[in-house]
Amino acid sequence: MFSKSQIPNLITLLNLFCGCAAIISVLDQQFVAAFWFLFAAGWFDFGDGLAARLLGVSSEHGKELDSLADMVSFGAVPGVIYYTLLFAGQDPAPASAPAIGWSWYAAPGLVVTLFSALRLAKFNLDTRQSENFIGVATPTSTVFAVGLMLIYDQDAFGWAAYVSSPLVLFPVIALFSYLLVSEHPMFSFKIKGAKWAGNETRIIFAALALALLLALRAAAFPFIVGVYLVINFLAPPPRH
């Protein structure tokens, strides 16, 4: 019998489905479709926890399922994106190669997936993230990768060649692999009421993010994440 306790798990499985669909879309070079699948996965990732709290049915089983779904949507997907961009940026391109194939040259893109797994395993056992994050959360890492994917797909501002270059991607992969498992505190996006006090950083970041979206549109996401990182390193939140 279906019960209300299964509703959050069903939402989590929708997150997982969207993550799998995003991987297929990236490998098929259907990058806009991949973006929308990940957009939906993000909402489902938010929705399962919200549903569990509203229904009062939180469980360890649900938490583990959520972590597994996140590993696909926000761990495997960014690795596949980096792999795909590195493969696309090979110079010269492999003769008569398929749209996507295996290449050791592009394999370092999957390192982010490994560090995402390390992060999710680490913080499954760590209870310090009650208010803020420690290190970069996997969805934040994914947003940056998705932004590069969209820039490549649309050649926004003529930057496609740059975001598929190993000179750009290898440092990005190394940086996010480190940040995923770092101990640096990062503010979360939980708004504390409707007041300015206590929400200053979040409100300022939201305003900057909106301005970047309006100015850069699809190319904005890596810059939004960049602003997020700069704010956190210049004015880190307190550890909780």
Side-chain angles (χ1 to χ4, degrees):
M1 290 288 295
F2 185 83
S3 67
K4 70 176 185 179
S5 64
Q6 296 172 317
I7 292 175
N9 291 342
L10 175 61
I11 298 173
T12 301
L13 290 175
L14 291 173
N15 171 10
L16 177 58
F17 172 82
C18 288
C20 293
I23 290 174
I24 294 170
S25 297
V26 172
L27 293 176
D28 284 344
Q29 298 195 22
Q30 300 296 318
F31 298 129
V32 173
F35 166 79
W36 286 112
F37 278 124
L38 284 171
F39 182 81
W43 279 107
F44 289 131
D45 184 46
F46 170 78
D48 59 5
L50 178 62
R53 290 189 294 272
L54 291 175
L55 296 171
V57 293
S58 178
S59 68
E60 290 302 316
H61 176 268
K63 292 177 182 177
E64 292 300 321
L65 182 62
D66 180 69
S67 183
L68 291 170
D70 287 351
M71 181 56 217
V72 175
S73 297
F74 310 121
V77 171
V80 172
I81 289 172
Y82 289 129
Y83 176 90
T84 303
L85 292 176
L86 283 167
F87 187 90
Q90 291 187 72
D91 187 19
S96 64
I100 290 295
W102 176 251
S103 171
W104 285 107
Y105 177 88
L110 300 175
V111 170
V112 166
T113 296
L114 306 183
F115 278 86
S116 297
L118 288 172
R119 175 182 177 79
L120 290 169
K122 174 182 178 181
F123 290 111
N124 275 355
L125 306 174
D126 194 319
T127 59
R128 293 175 294 166
Q129 296 190 114
S130 59
E131 183 174 334
N132 294 310
F133 298 121
I134 299 172
V136 166
T138 51
T140 303
S141 167
T142 303
V143 168
F144 191 92
V146 166
L148 297 186
M149 176 187 75
L150 292 176
I151 290 172
Y152 175 80
D153 180 58
Q154 301 179 20
D155 194 17
F157 302 101
W159 293 342
Y162 297 105
V163 299
S164 61
S165 167
L167 297 178
V168 172
L169 290 173
F170 286 165
V172 164
I173 291 164
L175 175 64
F176 278 92
S177 295
Y178 162 73
L179 290 175
L180 283 163
V181 296
S182 75
E183 291 287 320
H184 193 87
M186 305 273 179
F187 69 84
S188 71
F189 305 104
K190 298 176 182 176
I191 299 294
K192 305 174 184 177
K195 297 181 180 180
W196 168 262
N199 293 312
E200 302 93 336
T201 301
R202 295 172 178 85
I203 293 172
I204 291 171
F205 170 72
L208 292 172
L210 179 60
L212 286 168
L213 277 172
L214 293 174
L216 302 178
R217 300 176 69 86
F221 295 108
F223 295 94
I224 291 172
V225 175
V227 168
Y228 174 75
L229 296 179
V230 169
I231 291 174
N232 278 293
F233 278 94
L234 291 180
R239 294 177 181 269
H240 291 281

